[in-house]
Amino acid sequence: MSTSIESPDGTIEVLNIVPRQGPGGIVAPSCDAAISLAVDEINRGAGILGREIRTTNIDGGRPPHEVAAEVSALLATDMVHAITGWHTSAVRRAVARAGAGRVPYLYATSHEGLTDELPGVLMLGEHPAGQTVAAVHWLEREYGVRRLAVIGNDYIWPRRSAQAIRESLSDPAAIVLERYVPLGYADFSDFLAHPALDLADAVVILMVGADVARFNRQYAACGRDATQLRLSPAADENVLLAAGAEANHGFFVASSFFLDERVPDARDRMTRYRARHGAFAPALTSFSNATYEAVHAIGALARTVGSLEVPDILDALDHGLYLETPSGIRGFRGNQAIQHGYVARASGVDFEIVDRIS
């Protein structure tokens, strides 16, 4: 498909894939509001390639093949110019195959760091080396964490992330317990009662959205939060609210964005967000901010490259692509955006940044 073929009403059409159901559905209202802010900011300016941007939201909480089938049908209209959103890696892999490099696909979620992505897939989310792995070693330095337990959803991102952690450890046997459960899993009592969990200094939670909140409630209810830390790269303020303040003691999160004065544009962005959506809008969180950044990155790509043609974008990546985004200048290593990461401690239902990680 060519972005030089205009859609009937002369707009830039973007598919945003965000879960509306399942454990990831907890983020949908926040993502919708953040995407709306980005679209408004772009359209009040010069648009994209001189044209107004318009978004179509797709439910990314369905089985990957169902999401991919809908994307394929929409791409067949020749009126879609880009894909983005916050969704699982399993959905990304299916959608990338369906898209076959016809339009740029800006993936906004932290991921597993595979190197075989199809042309046109740009990874805006955090790479495990700069997020999960870095945060694990931060816990080792700051809290003396030596032995880990891992609980994850059973798909590609958690399993590959756990593998990256294991490969980074001087002693791979330091992971004393490792379990994977389906999305939407309800009862963690077997994991929490497992004798090997008593050997762990911390638990790495590689689950999504509401599953993290559910695990944290059960973890705190059995009293383990008093002696064992938890770390997640996949929790935002919505997760803290869903779990409840009493369930978040000793819970750390790694992310590239928190609403903190040390993060570029964070406070100003919140002011703009509240001005558009009001004081009772869904929380602007690290997950919803990722979708905001991705929509703006489409505009930055078009300004920098001069088109949204995948071959042009790939050529720009080969020659050192830099994008000017609301969070500052972003470079790429291959198809991976380079960014700083932070570790934050949960304080009730808010986050407090405690350190910066690379």
Side-chain angles (χ1 to χ4, degrees), residues 48-49 82 104-106 120 122 294-308 313 316-317 321-325 332:
I48 294 178
L49 300 175
Y105 182 4
L106 282 70
L122 272 65
V295 173
H296 269 290
I298 295 170
L301 263 178
R303 288 193 305 272
T304 304
V305 177
S307 82
L308 288 176
I313 293 169
L317 286 169
L321 176 65
Y322 287 88
L323 301 180
E324 186 175 349
T325 74
F332 286 80

Side-chain angles (χ1 to χ4, degrees), residues 7-310:
S7 52
D9 54 359
T11 58
I12 293 291
E13 302 285 342
V14 178
L15 302 183
N16 278 299
I17 305 173
V18 173
R20 309 271 159 191
Q21 57 187 288
I26 192 174
V27 311
S30 294
C31 288
D32 287 351
I35 290 166
S36 173
L37 175 63
V39 168
D40 179 66
E41 290 174 346
I42 290 169
N43 286 340
R44 283 192 288 107
I48 294 178
L49 300 175
R51 295 152 62 184
E52 186 178 83
I53 181 176
R54 188 168 65 184
T55 60
T56 296
N57 295 325
I58 294 176
D59 180 7
R62 296 169 295 167
H65 71 276
E66 292 185 15
V67 182
E70 183 175 1
V71 170
S72 183
L74 290 168
L75 286 171
T77 67
D78 281 343
M79 293 189 299
V80 174
H81 303 89
I83 303 170
T84 187
W86 188 96
H87 45 274
T88 68
S89 291
V91 169
R92 184 192 79 245
R93 302 286 278 184
V95 169
R97 288 192 295 270
R102 286 177 283 177
V103 300
Y105 182 4
L106 282 70
Y107 186 65
T109 318
S110 59
H111 58 91
E112 64 284 352
L114 295 176
T115 58
D116 62 344
E117 298 298 336
L118 292 173
V121 180
L122 272 65
M123 311 300 275
L124 302 184
E126 297 91 345
H127 189 285
Q131 183 193 36
T132 311
V133 171
V136 164
H137 289 283
W138 181 87
L139 284 178
E140 181 182 18
R141 291 192 306 272
E142 299 297 323
Y143 287 90
V145 168
R146 295 290 183 272
R147 292 168 296 185
L148 301 168
V150 173
I151 179 75
N153 289 128
D154 193 6
Y155 70 98
I156 187 170
W157 167 69
R159 287 185 175 274
R160 293 289 300 207
S161 295
Q163 180 181 337
I165 293 170
R166 185 181 297 105
E167 292 172 351
S168 78
L169 299 172
S170 57
D171 178 12
I175 297 181
V176 297
L177 178 62
E178 187 174 351
R179 291 290 183 272
Y180 297 95
V181 299
L183 289 163
Y185 199 70
D187 185 0
F188 296 98
S189 56
D190 287 349
F191 178 85
L192 294 171
H194 198 290
L197 185 57
D198 294 336
L199 303 176
D201 303 309
V203 178
V204 180
I205 307 170
L206 299 173
M207 294 189 289
V208 176
D211 286 4
V212 181
R214 191 179 302 112
F215 178 82
N216 278 347
R217 285 197 300 271
Q218 295 178 33
Y219 192 88
C222 70
R224 287 192 176 273
D225 62 323
T227 57
Q228 292 172 312
L229 302 177
R230 284 158 293 161
L231 170 70
S232 172
D236 67 354
E237 289 84 349
N238 289 312
V239 171
L240 299 186
L241 285 166
E246 66 280 359
N248 298 326
H249 174 71
F251 182 44
F252 292 84
V253 171
S255 176
S256 62
F257 179 87
F258 293 99
L259 284 171
D260 186 280
E261 60 272 8
R262 283 172 284 185
V263 180
D265 192 50
R267 292 301 175 188
D268 288 344
R269 191 172 308 176
M270 174 57 79
T271 299
R272 301 194 303 272
Y273 182 84
R274 293 298 187 198
R276 176 168 177 78
H277 296 298
F280 298 101
L284 178 61
T285 71
S286 56
F287 293 164
S288 57
N289 175 75
T291 61
Y292 169 92
E293 290 277 348
V295 173
H296 269 290
I298 295 170
L301 263 178
R303 288 193 305 272
T304 304
V305 177
S307 82
L308 288 176
E309 298 279 5
V310 169

